[in-house]
Amino acid sequence: MTEESYIVHNVTKYYGKFKAIDSVSLELRQGKIIGLLGKNGAGKSTLMRCMLGFLNHSGEVYIDGNLIKRRDPKVFEKVAFIPDVSGLDDRLTVKQTIDYVKRINPKWNEVTANKLLEISNLPVNKKVSQLSKGMKTKLYLMITLSLDVNYLILDEPTLGLDIAFRKEFFNTILNEFYEGNKTIFISTHQVEEVEDILQEIVFIDKGKILLHEEVHTLKELFKIVSLPLEQSEKIMQYNPKVYTKNMGFMNAVLSSDIEIEGAIYGKANLADIFLAMVGGTNESV
């Protein structure tokens, strides 16, 4: 167990009789950008809320060696959180919102805040209720990145936003937050948009962690194999969980050590590898 890291040890969370998180253990080391990928209902949001002390659970969570309990204020001495919904007060203006957070949070960094406000183009005298969803998310991001913390947790932060804003969102995080001693933990359905910045990836399914691996190492373990449909049995003998049929070819993600005569090979992305491990809907065209 590393002293300067975010530790999840044997965490289990039930909702009634339903086990949402099943004996999860993770170590998020400082200075890493880590993705969390899972299907809807896999336990991503529940895991993050356990990590933040929002939910009762069994097992332990440690931040830099400190045990975190339910509703523990020590969490936010080290961690900033951007959820899938903002929780901003619609009655306040942008300026009032910033001033409020500034007064109550000892981790506020005025220099960073002024820089972010300058580049944000936020209408400071408008009420939150008058902002678009993109502008609300931008305000929430600006407030969060103005906190001088070591860990940033993002739970589907750009859900429902257009592609231009999603790109701006992640560029702002990288340029204004990420440093060699800080850690970003991202849950997103648009994994292809952040794949190039991720250093590590965590796959979760049915509340269990399937893997936690460095991205470049994981990609070396798999490849896309394509063969004409009349030779599809050569692929099916390896029992792929997901395959596609397209333009007279069958395609599947297989182990990189598999060689099939006459096959065409391609690189698998994280979404390909995830589906190859957990399964999905087979498509045929």
Side-chain angles (χ1 to χ4, degrees), residues 206-258:
K206 299 177 181 177
K208 286 182 173 289
I209 299 298
L210 301 184
L211 65 78
H212 179 188
E213 185 60 84
E214 292 185 353
V215 170
H216 75 274
T217 300
L218 182 63
K219 287 185 175 182
E220 290 175 354
L221 299 177
F222 295 90
K223 62 188 176 185
I224 297 176
V225 179
S226 300
L227 278 170
L229 285 176
E230 59 268 23
Q231 301 180 44
S232 60
E233 72 280 356
K234 294 181 180 180
I235 289 178
M236 296 306 295
Q237 67 177 315
Y238 294 101
N239 299 313
K241 289 189 175 182
V242 177
Y243 55 86
T244 61
K245 297 176 181 178
N246 189 17
M247 299 181 67
F249 280 82
M250 174 176 279
N251 313 293
V253 178
L254 300 177
S255 173
S256 59
D257 60 2
I258 291 175

Side-chain angles (χ1 to χ4, degrees), residues 127-189:
K127 287 190 174 183
V128 171
S129 61
Q130 298 173 306
L131 301 179
S132 66
K133 181 172 182 179
M135 282 293 184
K136 286 182 180 179
T137 304
K138 185 177 288 191
L139 175 57
Y140 205 100
L141 175 64
M142 180 250 162
I143 290 170
T144 304
L145 297 188
S146 297
L147 305 178
D148 192 8
V149 295
N150 289 331
Y151 300 96
L152 179 61
I153 293 182
L154 309 172
D155 185 10
E156 296 289 351
T158 59
L159 191 65
L161 301 177
D162 64 54
I163 188 169
F165 184 79
R166 295 199 302 267
K167 184 176 179 63
E168 179 186 355
F169 180 93
F170 288 114
N171 284 341
T172 302
I173 287 172
L174 289 177
N175 292 333
E176 306 303 333
F177 179 84
Y178 183 67
E179 298 172 2
N181 65 335
K182 295 189 175 185
T183 298
I184 302 175
F185 191 36
I186 309 171
S187 167
T188 177
H189 279 100

Side-chain angles (χ1 to χ4, degrees), residues 82-105:
I82 300 180
D84 54 356
V85 291
S86 69
L88 296 169
D89 190 332
D90 283 344
R91 299 168 296 179
L92 301 180
T93 65
V94 169
K95 185 178 186 305
Q96 288 170 336
T97 301
I98 295 170
D99 288 343
Y100 172 73
V101 176
K102 175 181 174 180
R103 287 197 302 271
I104 66 170
N105 203 307

Side-chain angles (χ1 to χ4, degrees), residues 260-278:
I260 301 176
E261 184 178 355
I264 300 171
Y265 302 107
K267 293 183 178 180
N269 60 34
L270 291 177
D272 294 328
I273 297 169
F274 176 79
L275 290 175
M277 293 186 66
V278 305

